[in-house]
Amino acid sequence: MLDIKQIRENPQLIRERLKNRGENYDIQPIVDLNQRQRDLETTRSQLQARSNEIGKLVGQKIQSGISPQDAEIKDLREEGNSVKAKLSEFEPQEKEIKALIEQRVLALPNLPSESTPIGKSEEDNVEIRRWGDEYLPQNSNIIPHWEIGEKLGFLNFERAVKVAQSRFVALIGAGAALERALIQFMLNRQVEAGYVEVVPPFLINTESLTATGQLPKFAEDSFKCAEDDLWLTPTAEVPLTNLYRGEILSSEELPIYHCAYTPCFRREAGSYGRDMRGLIRLHQFNKVELVKLVSPETSFDELEKLLGDAEAILQALQLPYRIVELCTGDLGFSATKTYDIEVWLPSSGKYREISSCSNCGDFQARRGKIRFKETGKKGTQFVHTLNGSGLAVGRTMAAILENYQQPDGTLHVPQVLQPYLGGKEILEA
């Protein structure tokens, strides 16, 4: 959530920075509503002061010996009743205006950081670096991951459709074992890197999704339980961040690093027709997520560290990848700065996103009212929140199925995963 004070005092700056996202956001109604709210507050304060003054005057006059039935006392009391009646009218007006302001502010995305490259779409994203060219596969007959996965009996899409619908998969035998190995390996590495592991609820409430920015704008992308105020989690970013919603932390508690494995559920409402085959865009997928709550002064340094923690997984797996900095037009709703990690998929000759590492500044903390207090200082500050996939497990599986497939149709197991699979070096049908 953007700071209403910043919107009020610097509307032109807010307009310009939001415009860099490639959409027109009309903030004038917010400015006007905020002025109405402030005018009402001023008038209410004046009326409250007059009401207090009248009460004091009545008391003083009665104490001085004037009869409570005296005309002067009656006039003061009538005025006092009139003032109280007006005050009672203000509360619903202020409540309504406050709700309208909140509704409009919640619809505004975060401001891009000053260092975020300006652009209109993913075509304007900036490649930062590549890693692992020496690990590019030499096999010239690589087939798509879903084909080798089905041939080896690891992936079964047809039977998953029977159980659920399209865009689901059943992992079977060595496929299920490989998925489990990846989750365990990723969690172990991130715990070693200093993250505290959490097993959060997989069902989350509306307030939690609103705090991290998935609601109200992206309701159509989430699965909701019909009978409850509960949604299936789209990413562990949501429950991990909301563990601290509404709290005031001490500065000594920061930074907070958490990692978690969860299944994730997304409708992918805006992506029909894209990636219909394979593991890239499923309604249900597994992911290991990294979340940080940090002080404002360190958040951009923490973003670089978080990116390094996600990269370390791909480096250990020896999977080629590149780092791309997202431009303003491709930035996620809650992010102020984002790096995407894209892994190499040789069957398509493309790098595909496997992790997004974002600094959200105080945007989510304002929505979720997550603050901290420094010892010896007055007041509180909002924490800065960061998140990143460490990694999307299904997409990592896809990358392994393509980069590690052998000319004879078997799959070589990345060395770091072999201990998780009973020492197996080769997986075959």
Side-chain angles (χ1 to χ4, degrees):
M1 178 184 287
L2 300 185
D3 183 357
I4 187 65
K5 182 180 178 183
Q6 191 178 17
I7 294 173
R8 181 178 68 247
E9 295 180 353
N10 300 288
Q12 190 54 39
L13 175 65
I14 300 298
R15 287 189 189 95
E16 289 172 1
R17 292 180 68 181
L18 287 176
K19 189 177 180 181
N20 286 337
R21 280 181 165 269
E23 295 183 43
N24 289 320
Y25 295 93
D26 186 8
I27 65 168
Q28 192 57 45
I30 298 173
V31 175
D32 294 340
L33 283 167
N34 183 246
Q35 187 58 54
R36 279 180 59 195
Q37 182 184 33
R38 288 164 65 81
D39 290 343
L40 281 173
E41 287 174 353
T42 299
T43 305
R44 178 170 52 78
S45 295
Q46 292 170 346
L47 287 171
Q48 187 63 59
R50 179 56 182 162
S51 178
N52 295 340
E53 183 183 15
I54 290 169
K56 189 176 180 182
L57 279 171
V58 169
Q60 288 173 343
K61 288 182 181 296
I62 290 174
Q63 283 181 356
S64 69
I66 298 176
S67 169
Q69 306 305 318
D70 188 88
E72 184 180 8
I73 300 293
K74 286 184 177 179
D75 287 345
L76 282 170
R77 281 179 168 163
E78 283 181 12
E79 183 186 353
N81 290 335
S82 175
V83 169
K84 286 178 182 177
K86 289 179 181 176
L87 279 170
S88 68
E89 295 173 4
F90 275 75
E91 185 177 350
Q93 289 183 49
E94 288 185 274
K95 215 171 179 182
E96 181 183 1
I97 291 173
K98 183 181 178 182
L100 287 171
I101 291 173
E102 183 171 324
Q103 180 184 16
R104 289 182 175 273
V105 174
L106 283 174
L108 295 178
N110 201 355
L111 301 179
S113 73
E114 293 181 0
S115 64
T116 297
I118 295 174
K120 295 180 179 179
S121 70
E122 62 182 21
E123 301 299 322
D124 299 314
N125 293 342
V126 178
E127 183 176 314
I128 304 299
R129 61 179 177 273
R130 296 188 181 195
W131 183 93
D133 283 355
E134 66 272 28
Y135 298 116
L136 290 170
Q138 302 304 308
N139 181 3
S140 60
N141 297 312
I142 291 175
I143 59 176
H145 66 273
W146 60 86
E147 287 188 21
I148 188 172
E150 288 176 326
K151 284 182 178 180
L152 292 171
F154 294 180
L155 312 178
N156 196 306
F157 295 94
E158 188 175 330
R159 285 180 172 149
V161 170
K162 191 162 44 173
V163 174
Q165 62 179 45
S166 62
R167 297 206 181 196
F168 286 86
V169 66
L171 302 172
I172 298 172
L178 182 57
E179 181 96 349
R180 176 163 44 85
L182 281 167
I183 293 168
Q184 188 67 55
F185 167 68
M186 291 175 185
L187 286 172
N188 286 349
R189 282 299 177 101
Q190 301 305 352
V191 169
E192 289 171 6
Y195 292 84
V196 176
E197 184 180 353
V198 177
V199 178
F202 296 166
L203 291 173
I204 48 183
N205 57 35
T206 295
E207 196 172 355
S208 294
L209 281 165
T210 301
T212 45
Q214 282 78 13
L215 292 180
K217 185 170 183 179
F218 302 105
E220 65 174 8
D221 279 327
S222 297
F223 289 96
K224 186 174 185 183
C225 302
E227 302 300 323
D228 305 279
D229 179 31
L230 290 171
W231 306 68
L232 298 182
T233 184
T235 167
E237 167 199 342
V238 181
L240 290 181
T241 305
N242 279 278
L243 289 175
Y244 301 92
R245 191 177 73 241
E247 294 187 24
I248 299 176
L249 306 166
S250 69
S251 57
E252 288 77 14
E253 293 178 85
L254 301 179
I256 293 171
Y257 298 171
H258 282 315
C259 66
Y261 148 72
T262 63
C264 303
F265 304 88
R266 297 181 190 175
R267 290 187 183 278
E268 297 286 359
S271 64
Y272 288 107
R274 296 174 59 196
D275 300 312
M276 291 300 290
R277 302 191 67 182
L279 302 172
I280 300 299
R281 208 175 293 277
L282 297 174
H283 289 313
Q284 174 188 323
F285 57 96
N286 294 317
K287 186 152 67 81
V288 171
E289 187 76 2
L290 310 176
V291 164
K292 293 184 176 186
L293 279 69
V294 305
S295 65
E297 293 79 13
T298 64
S299 65
F300 285 100
D301 289 337
E302 292 284 4
L303 175 61
E304 301 297 327
K305 293 177 185 176
L306 186 145
L307 176 64
D309 292 332
E311 283 184 83
I313 301 297
L314 289 175
Q315 291 177 8
L317 292 169
Q318 297 182 345
L319 290 170
Y321 67 88
R322 69 173 185 166
I323 305 297
V324 174
E325 184 173 1
L326 300 195
C327 71
T328 53
D330 198 31
L331 208 57
F333 183 82
S334 297
T336 185
K337 185 180 182 71
T338 296
Y339 295 110
D340 272 5
I341 306 176
E342 297 180 348
V343 70
W344 178 250
L345 291 184
S347 73
S348 58
K350 291 180 181 178
Y351 288 97
R352 298 300 302 268
E353 179 200 335
I354 198 168
S355 173
S356 269
C357 298
S358 298
N359 183 357
C360 298
D362 64 7
F363 185 80
Q364 293 177 329
R366 284 185 182 279
R367 295 167 78 103
K369 298 178 176 59
I370 310 172
R371 294 171 288 169
F372 74 100
K373 181 175 177 58
E374 292 188 68
T375 305
K377 290 188 178 181
K378 290 184 179 180
T380 60
Q381 300 178 60
F382 289 103
V383 302
H384 280 197
T385 62
L386 299 93
N387 62 78
S389 304
L391 304 160
V393 182
R395 295 189 178 199
T396 308
M397 168 90 80
I400 290 172
L401 287 171
E402 295 200 6
N403 286 277
Y404 278 87
Q405 64 180 259
Q406 305 297 297
D408 63 359
T410 61
L411 185 75
H412 180 69
V413 179
Q415 187 174 359
V416 293
L417 296 182
Q418 291 174 16
Y420 299 89
L421 293 167
K424 287 184 180 179
E425 298 182 14
I426 298 293
L427 297 178
E428 53 192 339

